[in-house]
Amino acid sequence: ADAAPPATAAPSGVLAPAAAAGAASEAPAPEGGDASGSESGSSYSSGSSAGRSRSPRRGLPLGPPPGPSLGLGALVEIQGLCSAPELNGRRAIVTGFAAGPTPEAGPRFEVLCFPSDGSEPEPEPELRRVSVGAERLTLVPGAASAAGAARLRLRNVPAEYTTGILREELDEEGFTEGESFTALLFDRANRFVYLTASSDRVAMQIVVNFDGRRLERCGPGRFMPDSILAQIVKVERLC
């Protein structure tokens, strides 16, 4: 009897039909983007070869979700919390991201809450910081989420500052709250200031006026002594 012809090996990089079907069934579907940090975008494996799966790489921190809606510095409203119902309806600023307790739970957002009554007593009270799922947050409509608005963060702000003093600093530079910027909040624990500029042009002006500057006030009309001057401020654009 004639011998059967030898099996032909598949070209390098090409799976046999059965193996290709098995690989396709095991490849996870791409997940959405992320929810504290940071401080962005989920990492995916890439490649131009046909049949290569674009699946999320395991073990990497999640970044913010696609689009500007719930990124760092976003002004949001908390809804539907059961563990801290007193925070429902409170407005907050997104300050970070974290992975959820399980892959199915999705990412979580770290938010810093505004004072409950909107007041700014001296000194300001310690603000509440909580971690919540994206389904518990609603983007606040208005100037802070309008097209063209730009979210900024100032770093190295002196701990002696308050949101009121920062508002005074901005006002003296010609930036009026409600017209030039909104969603101003001081994160004293990290010495960050969050705000949303009304346009790219205003954002660029704020960067020019404050990036590389020393903030020296210790109260309305009062200044810090030279011995405790803060570090130089750095302005970051978040979106």
Side-chain angles (χ1 to χ4, degrees), residues 15-23:
L15 296 174

Side-chain angles (χ1 to χ4, degrees), residues 49-71:
S49 300
R52 181 173 294 181
S53 171
R54 294 178 59 85
S55 58
R57 295 167 62 184
R58 302 295 183 183
L60 295 180
L62 295 169
S69 59
L70 285 179

Side-chain angles (χ1 to χ4, degrees), residues 1-238:
D2 294 331
T8 302
S12 176
V14 179
L15 296 174
S25 64
E26 294 175 3
E31 299 174 359
D34 128 311
S36 224
S38 337
E39 333 129 70
S40 297
S42 300
S43 298
Y44 292 89
S45 60
S46 61
S48 58
S49 300
R52 181 173 294 181
S53 171
R54 294 178 59 85
S55 58
R57 295 167 62 184
R58 302 295 183 183
L60 295 180
L62 295 169
S69 59
L70 285 179
L72 282 174
L75 177 63
V76 296
E77 185 173 296
I78 302 172
Q79 298 289 347
L81 285 184
C82 297
S83 58
E86 70 277 7
L87 296 181
N88 290 330
R90 185 84 66 88
R91 292 189 174 188
I93 295 293
V94 176
T95 61
F97 311 95
T102 64
E104 294 76 16
R108 297 179 69 81
F109 292 73
E110 180 186 273
V111 300
L112 186 65
C113 299
F114 282 87
S116 57
D117 57 359
S119 62
E120 296 168 7
E122 297 290 342
E124 286 182 335
E126 192 67 27
L127 301 178
R128 292 281 300 273
R129 192 186 308 271
V130 294
S131 176
V132 298
E135 71 279 2
R136 305 297 186 193
L137 300 176
T138 302
L139 192 68
V140 175
S145 57
R151 299 169 191 155
L152 302 177
R153 177 170 63 186
L154 282 65
R155 304 172 65 97
N156 297 330
V157 175
E160 293 80 6
Y161 264 54
T162 66
T163 302
I165 297 175
L166 290 159
R167 187 179 292 109
E168 182 180 326
E169 290 266 12
L170 288 159
D171 186 69
E172 289 194 355
E173 294 295 325
F175 303 110
T176 305
E177 187 170 27
E179 179 181 339
S180 302
F181 68 91
T182 55
L184 177 68
L185 188 64
F186 181 32
D187 180 356
R188 179 179 283 105
N190 295 307
R191 296 174 57 195
F192 293 162
V193 172
Y194 294 90
L195 63 91
T196 300
S198 58
S199 66
D200 281 338
R201 180 173 174 273
V202 172
M204 292 175 62
Q205 290 175 332
I206 292 176
V207 171
V208 168
N209 287 26
F210 285 91
D211 192 58
R213 174 174 170 174
R214 294 182 185 272
L215 299 180
E216 306 173 1
R217 296 179 184 273
C218 58
R222 304 191 304 275
F223 296 86
M224 297 181 186
D226 292 342
S227 59
I228 59 171
L229 283 180
Q231 298 180 33
I232 293 175
V233 170
K234 177 67 178 175
V235 183
E236 302 172 314
R237 177 156 181 167
L238 304 177

